[in-house]
Every structure is written in structure tokens, then in C-alpha cells.
Amino acid sequence: MKDKSIGSRLLTAAALVSCGKTVCDVGCDHGKLSLYLIQSGKAQKIIATDINKMPLQKAIDLFAENGLSHKAEFYLTDGLQNITDTDDITHVVICGLGGDTMAQIIENAPFIKHNKVKLVLIPAQSGNKIRQYLYHSGFEITGETTVGENKKFYSAICAEYTGIKFDCTDFDCFVGKSRYCTDQSAKGYFEMVHTQLKKREKGFIIDTGICPDGIADAIARLEALLDNFYN
């Protein structure tokens, strides 16, 4: 499989998996990331899950066409439910779901905490929700990288469980460690988040006449980051 066939987001996710034994690809959607992880040697085995039958069957067929069915297990399930053999799972990758949904999947899979599984998360929306969940639930966000695809921008979040909870600010939730990114995808991501925060600010002012300090601070800090690109 050529790299370009899986897109920038999935390539970014794959780049963040290192020395994987068994890697769970949650919401595997056609199986292209799963196959790439096996073919590139980043995973020894794949557990691919999807809640919908059609994309999961396409993933099954893709592995069969490439003679790699023995390298994967496929589950028609919600998130990580019904996965029983978890001892060798080193990574859980979730791409393209919303932050709220990601939080529910992680919360319902206690082996992630017990086994200190590495998480690679690329939320399609509500990145603030998954960061807030991670901070409040004892996960450390170890790094983030931004990525652009089809004129949309995302942050790829790496995290693992430490048990240490963090009292995060609005800036932490909406921007997180993507604040350290400096390429053009970071600019696009910051502009997108800035638009989201300005809409929140407007809504608060309409409803209450004042914007909460946390949102105002997040906007100011985000604008300072954007100044680095504009000046």
C-alpha cells in the first residue's frame, strides 16, 4: 500500500505508533490504517473494531486481499467492548470520532489504565472534550502534532495513564500541547480553534453580558500564538 492511499491524518497516526505489539484500531473504517501498521512493521498484530458491518467487512476483505488475515482480529462492536485478550495490547488508536465518543470508549475499557496502554487520538471535533477527559482522569498528554487534510485541520494527541489528575484551563482543553507546533498545519488548527472560541465568547456575551475569564484568556493566548505566523 502506498503511503498516499491512507491520507495525512492516518499517516500521522501511524507515525505516532512505535514498537507496537498488538495495536487496536478503533473505528477502523475500511482497515487502511490497520493494514499500513502491519505492512510498515509498526504493529505485530491488529485488533480492528467498527460499530458498522460494511466498513468492517471492507477491512476484513482488505487484509484477505493482501494475505495478512492471520495478522488481525476483527470485531463488530462499539469501541473496545467484547475485547477480552488485552495483555499484549500496547496502543489504542482512535481517528475520526468526536472527543465525547473517544472519552466514552476509553472510560469503558479499564485495561487501558491497568496496562498503561499508549493512546493515539485524532478527534474529528470536540478536541477540548477529550483533552478535558484525559486531564481529569489521570492521563498525561505526552505530546501533540497538528495535521491538515482536505483543507481541514486536526491535532493528533498522544497520551498514557499515570494516575495524576490535572486541573486544566480552557486553554489547556482547547489548545493543549499543540501550542508547541509551529508548521502551517498548526496555523490552520489555531485559526480553527480561535473561530470556535470567538463563537463561544459571543454566545456568553449575548446570554450573560460577559465572557468567562477562562475563555477570554484562551482567546488571548491563542491570538499570541497566531501572531507568530502573521508577523
Side-chain angles (χ1 to χ4, degrees):
M1 178 184 291
K2 295 181 179 179
D3 289 2
K4 65 181 181 180
S5 69
I6 71 170
S8 299
R9 271 191 299 170
L10 297 187
L11 276 177
T12 298
L16 297 173
V17 174
S18 59
C19 302
K21 283 190 175 182
T22 299
V23 178
C24 291
D25 181 8
V26 179
C28 63
D29 190 26
H30 304 73
K32 291 181 178 180
L33 172 60
S34 292
L35 184 65
Y36 181 80
L37 289 170
I38 289 294
Q39 291 182 328
S40 63
K42 286 181 166 289
Q44 297 175 19
K45 178 183 173 182
I46 288 290
I47 293 177
T49 80
D50 206 286
I51 198 170
N52 295 308
K53 185 175 181 179
M54 185 174 293
L56 186 69
Q57 186 59 52
K58 289 184 177 181
I60 293 170
D61 293 343
L62 183 64
F63 269 74
E65 290 164 7
N66 284 272
L68 290 169
S69 298
H70 62 291
K71 291 284 189 177
E73 295 179 6
F74 301 92
Y75 290 84
L76 183 65
T77 190
D78 185 359
L80 290 163
Q81 293 183 24
N82 304 318
I83 309 299
T84 56
D85 187 6
T86 61
D87 289 347
D88 288 335
I89 295 174
T90 56
H91 297 73
V92 167
V93 182
I94 314 177
C95 297
L97 301 180
D100 281 322
T101 301
M102 289 182 171
Q104 292 171 7
I105 290 170
I106 296 166
E107 185 64 21
N108 291 332
F111 76 86
I112 291 176
K113 293 182 179 180
H114 296 159
N115 298 355
K116 298 189 182 300
V117 172
K118 296 181 185 300
L119 297 173
V120 177
L121 312 169
I122 306 184
Q125 63 273 331
S126 302
N128 60 306
K129 294 294 187 181
I130 186 58
R131 289 192 190 92
Q132 184 181 56
Y133 167 80
L134 293 170
Y135 285 134
H136 288 178
S137 302
F139 289 86
E140 178 186 0
I141 295 179
T142 56
E144 295 191 38
T145 185
T146 51
V147 57
E149 184 177 273
N150 298 327
K151 299 182 180 180
K152 295 183 179 180
F153 299 92
Y154 308 88
S155 184
I157 301 167
C158 295
E160 54 188 286
Y161 185 71
T162 64
I164 301 172
K165 299 180 181 181
F166 179 59
D167 188 14
C168 52
T169 65
D170 286 307
F171 183 75
D172 295 321
C173 291
F174 278 92
V175 181
K177 290 191 174 180
S178 69
R179 72 190 75 175
Y180 302 117
C181 299
T182 58
D183 62 9
Q184 285 302 302
S185 65
K187 174 177 177 286
Y189 184 73
F190 296 154
E191 288 175 337
M192 179 192 73
V193 176
H194 183 260
T195 298
Q196 294 171 353
L197 287 170
K198 291 296 286 185
K199 287 181 179 178
R200 286 186 173 235
E201 178 187 50
K202 183 177 180 180
F204 279 118
I205 291 173
I206 290 173
D207 290 342
T208 67
I210 189 170
C211 178
D213 290 342
I215 296 295
D217 176 70
I219 290 171
R221 294 177 68 179
L222 195 49
E223 289 174 347
L225 288 175
L226 285 167
D227 282 344
N228 295 327
F229 294 97
Y230 299 148
N231 296 330

